[in-house]
Amino acid sequence: MLGIATLFCLLPCLSMVMGFGIDHQQLAVLSHQTISNDLPTQIVASATAIANPLSPVFEKYMSTLSQYPLPTKMVTGAALATAGDAIAQGREDDDYDPSRGASFAAFDMIYRAAQHWLFPIIVELCRGQYLLGAAGAIGAAQLFDLSILTAMERSLASQLIIVPFLYYPVFFTFTGVMQGLTFEEGLDRAKQNFVPLMKRNLLFWIPVQYVQFCYIPTELQIPFLSCAGLAWTFILSIMAGSAKKYSSDEPEHDTYCVIGTESECIIPEEELFPPVLFDDFNESDLSNAQLKVSQEEATTSSIKEKEVIMK
């Protein structure tokens, strides 16, 4: 449900940025057209065909994307990841953690670079043939359009192969190191968060990536994912953003030290006077203690009696 809701939120924004009244069939043709050697000219031409009129900011962005595709995608991802983490940190009681924000920005830059090289491989290898063969095995091949199967197959390849075996290992390792976790602490953090995050990942990203592979032109796919990633980074930052609670450097109880002429440390009362557990007592020990007290009282009484007689 989260992914579908995000999808409906993204589509109007995409229409506003890329033009009004755009036909989905036209987008599909643009997304599957063959890219010639004159890539920068074709990118700007495709953007011009889609968005009319172009805003100056979008025109400048497309020009920069055509000339410097990889750095532009990396900077876009880092900026939106930083914004998503800042929004998530704003909901928490603690002050803004710059190292946490930097870890998200650096990680997203690396992952956008990986996507830049991996997506052409996915597009080349996944053309819908695997899902079409599976549908044919149950006699339902005629029910599905090949373009739909192709987009779904590419989305599943990204979410079931790249995400669990590349995205999350790099995320937990990279952000853990930048936030000062040891290997054991980072591994504990990954074990606690991987399964919940993977469930949300599939619900969120499969619909988004279906739209990406089915309707978005190739040159705009990673910027589109970066925009969707703003919402995802917010989710990721809330669930596994802070590594403080996994660090062994955190004190187990609150100790307050006042620095003045002399250092004075105030330890909470429950640490000074821990609760007494009844299991700590032994009945025989209690009986021996009572017997000892009774003997002492008898001895004291005998001495007092002798003193009275002597008087």
Side-chain angles (χ1 to χ4, degrees):
M1 293 299 293
L2 180 60
I4 296 173
T6 305
L7 183 59
F8 279 106
C9 292
L10 285 173
L11 286 177
C13 296
L14 186 63
S15 299
M16 290 176 62
V17 173
M18 302 180 68
F20 297 92
I22 186 67
D23 183 62
H24 286 176
Q25 186 175 0
Q26 180 185 358
L27 280 173
V29 171
L30 285 170
S31 64
H32 292 93
Q33 67 181 358
T34 304
I35 304 298
S36 66
N37 292 331
D38 192 8
L39 181 61
T41 304
Q42 228 179 38
I43 292 178
V44 176
S46 300
T48 305
I50 295 173
N52 189 21
L54 285 173
S55 67
V57 175
F58 186 66
E59 185 177 15
K60 180 64 177 177
Y61 179 83
M62 290 303 303
S63 175
T64 306
L65 181 64
S66 66
Q67 296 178 26
Y68 311 101
L70 181 58
T72 304
K73 294 171 184 177
M74 293 174 68
V75 172
T76 302
L80 292 173
T82 303
D85 174 66
I87 295 171
Q89 290 200 46
R91 297 178 70 256
E92 301 173 2
D93 296 332
D94 298 334
D95 295 333
Y96 179 78
D97 185 357
S99 64
R100 173 173 159 181
S103 68
F104 270 85
F107 165 74
D108 206 276
M109 288 181 68
I110 293 173
Y111 189 64
R112 298 307 168 194
Q115 285 180 327
H116 177 79
W117 300 109
L118 288 173
F119 277 173
I121 299 175
I122 293 176
V123 169
E124 182 66 26
L125 295 179
C126 300
R127 299 179 179 272
Q129 69 273 24
Y130 301 109
L131 291 181
L132 184 63
I138 60 175
Q142 68 277 6
L143 300 177
F144 300 97
D145 184 80
L146 183 60
S147 62
I148 294 176
L149 293 178
T150 300
M152 182 58 68
E153 191 172 282
R154 292 170 180 173
S155 302
L156 293 175
S158 176
Q159 292 303 309
L160 299 180
I161 297 175
I162 294 178
V163 169
F165 297 105
L166 176 65
Y167 178 86
Y168 280 123
V170 174
F171 168 76
F172 285 116
T173 300
F174 195 83
T175 58
V177 169
M178 288 196 68
Q179 295 186 53
L181 292 185
T182 64
F183 175 78
E184 291 77 12
E185 293 165 352
L187 187 62
D188 181 61
R189 177 181 175 226
K191 287 179 180 178
Q192 292 188 31
N193 290 284
F194 175 76
V195 173
L197 280 174
M198 193 64 200
K199 291 178 181 178
R200 287 165 174 80
N201 200 100
L202 296 176
L203 291 173
F204 181 93
W205 281 112
I206 286 181
V208 171
Q209 288 209 295
Y210 175 80
V211 171
Q212 168 211 335
F213 285 117
C214 194
Y215 298 114
I216 306 301
T218 303
E219 63 273 8
L220 292 174
Q221 286 183 1
I222 293 181
F224 170 77
L225 290 180
S226 297
C227 293
L230 175 65
W232 174 248
T233 303
F234 173 77
I235 299 171
L236 189 64
S237 181
I238 286 181
M239 293 191 64
S242 178
K244 289 181 179 179
K245 62 181 178 180
Y246 301 95
S247 175
S248 59
D249 294 337
E250 293 293 317
E252 296 182 358
H253 55 74
D254 296 328
T255 302
Y256 307 94
C257 293
V258 181
I259 306 300
T261 54
E262 296 180 356
S263 295
E264 178 185 1
C265 288
I266 304 172
I267 302 176
E269 184 178 352
E270 60 271 15
E271 297 292 335
L272 288 173
F273 305 101
V276 177
L277 299 178
F278 289 103
D279 292 341
D280 293 341
F281 288 101
N282 189 308
E283 291 183 359
S284 60
D285 294 340
L286 184 60
S287 300
N288 293 333
Q290 290 176 343
L291 180 60
K292 185 177 180 180
V293 171
S294 300
Q295 291 175 347
E296 291 178 350
E297 290 178 349
T299 303
T300 304
S301 301
S302 176
I303 294 173
K304 289 182 178 178
E305 291 177 357
K306 290 180 179 179
E307 291 177 349
V308 171
I309 294 172
M310 289 177 64
K311 291 180 179 180

